[in-house]
Amino acid sequence: MAAVPFHYVDLRAFAYATEDEKRVADALRTFLPEDAELDRVENVGHHGDRIVVLSARIENADGMRHVLDRLSGLDEIDQVIGELDQRVDDNCALFLRVDKQAAFRGEVRLGPGITVRAKVEAYPAKKAAAVENARETLERLADDGET
């Protein structure tokens, strides 16, 4: 795929006090290019526990291709395609949640832990156009894994 139909891709995961922050970072890096930098923000939960938010924004085409290539390994990609009307919001953003534990093991599947938000290119910037662009891209990934 020569052009990448996204403006950017955001990935985010929480490292709770009961988790090893390095392992959470490693899980997040499963989807990131090697040169991607993680942002780290430390917060306090409702009960006073430490919560670290790890995130990265990928804005260059090669980096987004890398993320898409990793997501092409998603067994449930047909399910995601079928749910695009619910997964794309009115601001043309596509949302996925992938399993943090699986990502730590290098696997890719839907589940809790890592939020993926991709701003879909759509002209005009309407949900219907964004859903169609996302559908074309994900179907191409599902058919041949091409990124």
Side-chain angles (χ1 to χ4, degrees):
M1 156 175 38
V4 179
F6 299 106
H7 293 288
Y8 57 83
V9 178
D10 288 330
L11 296 103
R12 183 180 66 193
F14 297 109
Y16 298 99
T18 58
E19 296 178 303
D20 181 344
E21 184 180 333
K22 183 185 178 322
R23 289 173 62 114
V24 174
D26 289 346
L28 197 55
R29 289 191 185 286
T30 297
F31 300 96
L32 298 173
E34 284 186 29
D35 61 345
E37 291 186 30
L38 284 182
D39 291 327
R40 181 185 184 279
V41 176
E42 196 165 321
N43 290 307
V44 177
H46 178 71
H47 299 288
D49 52 323
R50 178 189 59 89
I51 300 173
V52 176
V53 181
L54 300 172
S55 62
R57 174 170 280 194
I58 308 301
E59 296 178 306
N60 64 51
D62 287 340
M64 287 186 283
R65 281 188 199 97
H66 180 85
V67 174
L68 287 173
D69 184 53
R70 294 297 296 149
L71 291 173
S72 71
L74 193 64
D75 287 338
E76 305 98 335
I77 199 156
D78 290 333
Q79 174 187 342
V80 171
I81 292 168
E83 297 170 348
L84 281 174
D85 259 352
Q86 294 82 38
R87 291 183 177 277
V88 175
D89 69 10
D90 290 336
N91 293 319
C92 302
L94 167 67
F95 291 89
L96 297 172
R97 288 185 64 209
V98 291
D99 189 301
K100 182 168 48 175
Q101 294 295 327
F104 178 73
R105 295 187 305 268
E107 302 167 10
V108 181
R109 68 171 182 248
L110 294 180
I114 298 175
T115 303
V116 179
R117 177 181 181 265
K119 181 72 169 183
V120 183
E121 286 184 353
Y123 304 102
K126 302 284 185 195
K127 179 178 177 175
V131 167
E132 189 53 36
N133 285 348
R135 183 179 322 283
E136 289 174 8
T137 300
L138 294 175
E139 285 176 348
R140 194 168 31 247
L141 287 173
D143 287 345
D144 56 18
E146 184 179 304
T147 56

mmCIF file of all heavy atoms in Angstrom, residues 4 6 20 32 52 75 81 85 96 107:
data_model
loop_
_atom_site.group_PDB
_atom_site.id
_atom_site.type_symbol
_atom_site.label_atom_id
_atom_site.label_comp_id
_atom_site.label_asym_id
_atom_site.label_seq_id
_atom_site.Cartn_x
_atom_site.Cartn_y
_atom_site.Cartn_z
ATOM 1 N N VAL A 4 -0.896 5.715 2.989
ATOM 2 C CA VAL A 4 -1.459 5.251 4.258
ATOM 3 C C VAL A 4 -2.693 6.113 4.529
ATOM 4 O O VAL A 4 -2.579 7.329 4.613
ATOM 5 C CB VAL A 4 -0.430 5.394 5.403
ATOM 6 C CG1 VAL A 4 -1.027 4.936 6.717
ATOM 7 C CG2 VAL A 4 0.823 4.600 5.079
ATOM 8 N N PHE A 6 -4.337 7.113 6.949
ATOM 9 C CA PHE A 6 -4.506 7.627 8.302
ATOM 10 C C PHE A 6 -3.650 8.875 8.473
ATOM 11 O O PHE A 6 -2.585 8.991 7.880
ATOM 12 C CB PHE A 6 -4.073 6.587 9.350
ATOM 13 C CG PHE A 6 -4.876 5.319 9.286
ATOM 14 C CD1 PHE A 6 -4.318 4.169 8.751
ATOM 15 C CD2 PHE A 6 -6.177 5.277 9.744
ATOM 16 C CE1 PHE A 6 -5.053 3.003 8.672
ATOM 17 C CE2 PHE A 6 -6.923 4.107 9.667
ATOM 18 C CZ PHE A 6 -6.361 2.971 9.131
ATOM 19 N N ASP A 20 4.286 -4.737 36.172
ATOM 20 C CA ASP A 20 5.650 -4.313 35.891
ATOM 21 C C ASP A 20 5.604 -3.341 34.712
ATOM 22 O O ASP A 20 5.227 -3.718 33.601
ATOM 23 C CB ASP A 20 6.503 -5.546 35.559
ATOM 24 C CG ASP A 20 7.946 -5.208 35.264
ATOM 25 O OD1 ASP A 20 8.274 -4.032 35.011
ATOM 26 O OD2 ASP A 20 8.766 -6.143 35.288
ATOM 27 N N LEU A 32 4.920 -0.967 17.825
ATOM 28 C CA LEU A 32 5.616 0.259 17.456
ATOM 29 C C LEU A 32 6.889 0.009 16.660
ATOM 30 O O LEU A 32 7.578 -0.984 16.885
ATOM 31 C CB LEU A 32 5.984 1.039 18.721
ATOM 32 C CG LEU A 32 4.818 1.498 19.587
ATOM 33 C CD1 LEU A 32 5.343 2.099 20.887
ATOM 34 C CD2 LEU A 32 3.963 2.494 18.834
ATOM 35 N N VAL A 52 0.624 4.438 35.712
ATOM 36 C CA VAL A 52 1.477 5.080 34.715
ATOM 37 C C VAL A 52 0.819 4.897 33.352
ATOM 38 O O VAL A 52 0.450 3.775 32.978
ATOM 39 C CB VAL A 52 2.895 4.472 34.710
ATOM 40 C CG1 VAL A 52 3.744 5.088 33.607
ATOM 41 C CG2 VAL A 52 3.555 4.677 36.070
ATOM 42 N N ASP A 75 -6.336 -12.071 14.350
ATOM 43 C CA ASP A 75 -7.236 -13.146 13.915
ATOM 44 C C ASP A 75 -8.660 -12.642 13.717
ATOM 45 O O ASP A 75 -9.385 -13.144 12.868
ATOM 46 C CB ASP A 75 -7.255 -14.297 14.928
ATOM 47 C CG ASP A 75 -5.973 -15.119 14.894
ATOM 48 O OD1 ASP A 75 -5.266 -15.081 13.856
ATOM 49 O OD2 ASP A 75 -5.683 -15.785 15.898
ATOM 50 N N ILE A 81 -13.802 -5.565 10.774
ATOM 51 C CA ILE A 81 -14.381 -5.022 9.543
ATOM 52 C C ILE A 81 -15.902 -4.969 9.663
ATOM 53 O O ILE A 81 -16.531 -3.983 9.289
ATOM 54 C CB ILE A 81 -13.938 -5.843 8.321
ATOM 55 C CG1 ILE A 81 -12.428 -5.642 8.078
ATOM 56 C CG2 ILE A 81 -14.743 -5.458 7.085
ATOM 57 C CD1 ILE A 81 -11.818 -6.610 7.080
ATOM 58 N N ASP A 85 -18.835 0.371 11.661
ATOM 59 C CA ASP A 85 -19.793 1.437 11.972
ATOM 60 C C ASP A 85 -19.757 1.806 13.450
ATOM 61 O O ASP A 85 -19.961 2.968 13.806
ATOM 62 C CB ASP A 85 -21.214 1.017 11.589
ATOM 63 C CG ASP A 85 -21.657 1.623 10.279
ATOM 64 O OD1 ASP A 85 -20.930 2.477 9.748
ATOM 65 O OD2 ASP A 85 -22.735 1.234 9.788
ATOM 66 N N LEU A 96 -9.693 0.521 18.404
ATOM 67 C CA LEU A 96 -9.517 -0.904 18.675
ATOM 68 C C LEU A 96 -8.924 -1.046 20.068
ATOM 69 O O LEU A 96 -8.193 -0.168 20.523
ATOM 70 C CB LEU A 96 -8.505 -1.544 17.709
ATOM 71 C CG LEU A 96 -8.785 -1.592 16.238
ATOM 72 C CD1 LEU A 96 -7.543 -2.080 15.511
ATOM 73 C CD2 LEU A 96 -9.939 -2.512 15.956
ATOM 74 N N GLU A 107 1.886 -11.703 20.498
ATOM 75 C CA GLU A 107 0.671 -12.092 19.788
ATOM 76 C C GLU A 107 -0.229 -10.870 19.613
ATOM 77 O O GLU A 107 -0.134 -9.902 20.360
ATOM 78 C CB GLU A 107 -0.080 -13.169 20.575
ATOM 79 C CG GLU A 107 0.744 -14.415 20.844
ATOM 80 C CD GLU A 107 0.101 -15.332 21.884
ATOM 81 O OE1 GLU A 107 -1.072 -15.099 22.261
ATOM 82 O OE2 GLU A 107 0.782 -16.255 22.329
#
